[in-house]
Amino acid sequence: MRTTGGLAAIIAATLLLTACGSSSEPAAVEPDTVTSAPAEEPAATEVEPLPFNASGYLGGTAQPNLDAGEPDEVSVVQIGPLDSASGTLIFAFRNNTSESISHVDWTATARSGGSIAATGSSQGTTPAQLQPGEAGLSYIYFDNADAIPADAEYEFQVSTSAADTSPYNTAPLTVTEANVSGDSIVGGATNETGAETTGPYSVEVYCFEGDTLLSSMITFAEQTDEIPDGGTVTFSANLFGDSCPTFVLGVSGYFA
């Protein structure tokens, strides 16, 4: 009986040790629970706003001070009056991205009381290419501008391309002369892009009173064909008696 009891005790002890994990393999350890911090939004690109006409492409007498705009965006910084007769809404914008841009194309929606009253799109910008921090001017053409109420609010969207001299990219010419002659502004512009350009060459005039946009008009240069680097175009822009205390003017075509 003693022998049997001793054997039982040994078996029990062996079972106890086995249950306590006396195996040579290490016991599994539960990993600590790690909570990842939410990913941080990339910091907005810091672009210093440049003085108006920093590129030197434009001519004229206006030197408006325009708002800085939204960081890391191409954004509207001033909206001028709607000209229901011509169907145009003029505005200023700034390139606060880190890249030079061209082919800047805008669309806009006019809303009143939460409903869409009209939609439209731009037809060029001045200047045709903008470096980081530079301000530009443009206008939206609305087919039914006379249906837009005075209390309308405007929403803008923009698309851009890289600024280079690839064929059909927008090409800024440098205005070398712009003089008031009667009711017109006459002058010339030179192709200083380093590449051949082609027309039509648009001539866009924007009138200011101080820092405020008043009106605009568009015409075309006399020349329409290819212009080599160093070549020139001439123009005459009739203001038709509109008040234009100060003005800025840009000329642009396309790379050939």
Side-chain angles (χ1 to χ4, degrees):
M1 295 295 293
R2 288 179 182 176
T3 302
T4 303
L7 180 59
I10 291 171
I11 294 171
T14 301
L15 292 173
L16 180 60
L17 290 172
T18 302
C20 290
S22 60
S23 170
S24 60
E25 294 184 3
V29 179
E30 290 293 328
D32 293 336
T33 301
V34 178
T35 302
S36 299
E40 293 184 1
E41 292 290 332
T45 305
E46 293 293 334
V47 174
E48 188 72 22
L50 297 179
F52 187 75
N53 194 24
S55 63
Y57 291 132
L58 309 181
T61 56
Q63 286 292 328
N65 295 304
L66 299 173
D67 290 346
E70 297 297 325
D72 205 28
E73 293 182 13
V74 181
S75 61
V76 174
V77 295
Q78 185 183 140
I79 301 175
L82 173 69
D83 184 345
S84 57
S86 65
T88 58
L89 175 75
I90 54 178
F91 62 96
F93 63 95
R94 192 181 293 276
N95 173 26
N96 281 334
T97 70
S98 59
E99 303 293 335
S100 294
I101 58 174
S102 62
H103 256 307
V104 185
D105 296 317
W106 292 89
T107 58
T109 301
R111 288 184 177 272
S112 179
S115 299
I116 296 176
T119 63
S121 58
S122 65
Q123 298 179 356
T125 62
T126 297
Q129 295 189 347
L130 294 97
Q131 59 187 309
E134 189 172 9
L137 302 167
S138 188
Y139 66 92
I140 299 291
Y141 174 73
F142 294 101
D143 274 327
N144 59 333
D146 54 355
I148 301 175
D151 64 351
E153 296 181 350
Y154 297 96
E155 302 168 354
F156 294 84
Q157 291 184 313
V158 65
S159 65
T160 66
S161 299
D164 56 31
T165 59
S166 58
Y168 305 110
N169 205 353
T170 51
L173 275 63
T174 301
V175 177
T176 53
E177 191 172 359
N179 307 314
V180 177
S181 178
D183 279 343
S184 298
I185 299 173
V186 297
T190 301
N191 176 10
E192 297 180 355
T193 65
E196 187 176 68
T197 61
T198 187
Y201 297 96
S202 64
V203 179
E204 296 185 22
V205 179
Y206 291 84
C207 295
F208 284 82
E209 185 165 21
D211 297 332
T212 304
L213 276 163
L214 288 184
S215 61
S216 72
M217 63 87 58
I218 182 171
T219 187
F220 295 90
E222 310 297 342
Q223 295 76 15
T224 60
D225 295 332
E226 287 76 13
I227 301 293
D229 183 48
T232 62
V233 299
T234 56
F235 56 83
S236 178
N238 197 323
L239 297 175
F240 298 101
D242 289 345
S243 174
C244 194
T246 62
F247 71 91
V248 64
L249 178 148
V251 179
S252 63
Y254 299 89
F255 288 107

